[in-house]
Amino acid sequence: MLRIIKTSEEEEEIASAMGIISNLPKSPQISEWLLAAEGLPVFSRFLAEVKHKSSCKLQLVENAVGALCHFTVSVNQQTQKIAGLVPKLVRLLDLGTSLTKKRAAICLAQLSEHSQILGRPIPKRQGLWCFSPSPVELCPVHPRNIPGACEASLDALLTLIKDEKLQSGAKVLAEENAIPSMIRALDSPSPGLQQKVLNSLERIFRLVEYKLRYGSSAQMPLVDLAEELATSNL
């Protein structure tokens, strides 16, 4: 598959080969195989295709990001190089297709799980960002409310408030005005997304400061959601 991607001049053939790779089971073993075959630079060079709007170009980007997800499932010797792709992945949260957004958010969530390797400063880029030490625009939930992309984005945010990181992570979310966006997502028609928002808010509201600051704005959406669940269970 990698040989086809490297040598073929047919974009459809390349997209199909990357699609096969992107759908392989996500495991450390496959990740190591792809790293050994120098797949990382092969896939990453297609991320620039986002500026093109043809269906084949968009599919190239979708499958390239899907293939890159293999490199974020575990920490390895190439993880720092993968972290260097974060600005491009963040850009895709804004410009990519719904599937690209979902896959990019999954990559970012998995990288955030290994946040110790993301400690070095990365230049501020235009777009969406939740891991940089610099204050920039944050995308906790994609404004178009695409459930798959929103859920993956929330997975990324949940890593910021996991366990002992709750205090510092909640501070980052508050500074970037992310919490009101999360509260608005309670109105989503997706039960999976609603559950992830509830999980996020439950952790954040353990901190009295944020419960006092945002509790009143979350009260009505939470009441509406409770009534909706009660009605559906009748």
Side-chain angles (χ1 to χ4, degrees):
M1 292 296 101
L2 279 169
R3 187 158 50 246
I4 290 173
I5 297 169
K6 291 177 181 179
T7 61
S8 177
E9 296 182 0
E10 298 292 331
E11 289 186 338
E12 291 185 4
E13 188 175 40
I14 294 171
S16 296
M18 280 199 297
I20 293 172
I21 292 174
S22 69
N23 287 310
L24 291 174
K26 303 302 186 292
S27 70
Q29 180 62 69
I30 291 178
S31 174
E32 290 301 323
W33 288 342
L34 292 172
L35 283 170
E38 299 184 348
L40 179 58
V42 173
F43 304 140
S44 62
R45 68 186 176 92
F46 290 98
L47 299 187
E49 300 288 350
V50 70
K51 59 186 177 182
H52 299 288
K53 300 299 182 182
S54 71
S55 59
C56 188
K57 294 286 188 183
L58 294 175
Q59 188 179 29
L60 281 171
V61 179
E62 287 177 347
N63 292 341
V65 179
L68 286 171
C69 286
H70 285 290
F71 302 119
T72 59
V73 294
S74 61
V75 177
N76 52 57
Q77 72 273 17
Q78 295 290 328
T79 305
Q80 189 66 48
K81 293 182 180 179
I82 301 166
L85 297 176
V86 166
K88 291 183 178 180
L89 293 171
V90 169
R91 181 168 173 258
L92 291 174
L93 290 176
D94 190 34
L95 299 176
T97 65
S98 59
L99 180 56
T100 298
K101 291 181 176 76
K102 179 179 179 178
R103 288 174 168 175
I106 289 171
C107 283
L108 292 169
Q110 291 172 170
L111 281 171
S112 184
E113 287 285 355
H114 313 309
S115 57
Q116 70 273 14
I117 58 89
L118 296 176
R120 66 180 179 82
I122 295 178
K124 178 177 175 180
R125 302 291 183 104
Q126 183 179 4
L128 314 171
W129 181 231
C130 62
F131 306 100
S132 170
S134 304
V136 296
E137 185 180 358
L138 177 68
C139 178
V141 181
H142 191 267
R144 293 182 185 174
N145 204 24
I146 301 168
C150 291
E151 289 185 41
S153 296
L154 277 168
D155 283 338
L157 290 184
L158 280 169
T159 67
L160 300 180
I161 54 175
K162 185 177 180 180
D163 301 328
E164 71 279 358
K165 294 185 288 187
L166 175 60
Q167 183 76 50
S168 58
K171 181 179 179 181
V172 170
L173 297 181
E175 289 175 348
E176 300 297 342
N177 202 33
I179 297 175
S181 297
M182 297 166 72
I183 292 172
R184 288 194 295 272
L186 288 170
D187 294 330
S188 168
S190 167
L193 178 57
Q194 289 175 336
Q195 186 60 56
K196 288 184 187 295
V197 175
L198 287 172
N199 291 343
S200 303
L201 294 177
E202 186 276 330
R203 285 195 55 76
I204 293 170
F205 287 172
R206 292 179 190 178
L207 302 174
V208 176
E209 174 188 355
Y210 302 108
K211 183 177 181 180
L212 293 175
R213 188 187 308 182
Y214 300 104
S216 59
S217 61
Q219 183 175 358
M220 188 55 66
L222 288 171
V223 170
D224 291 342
L225 182 58
E227 291 178 349
E228 179 184 331
L229 291 173
T231 301
S232 64
N233 290 329
L234 291 178

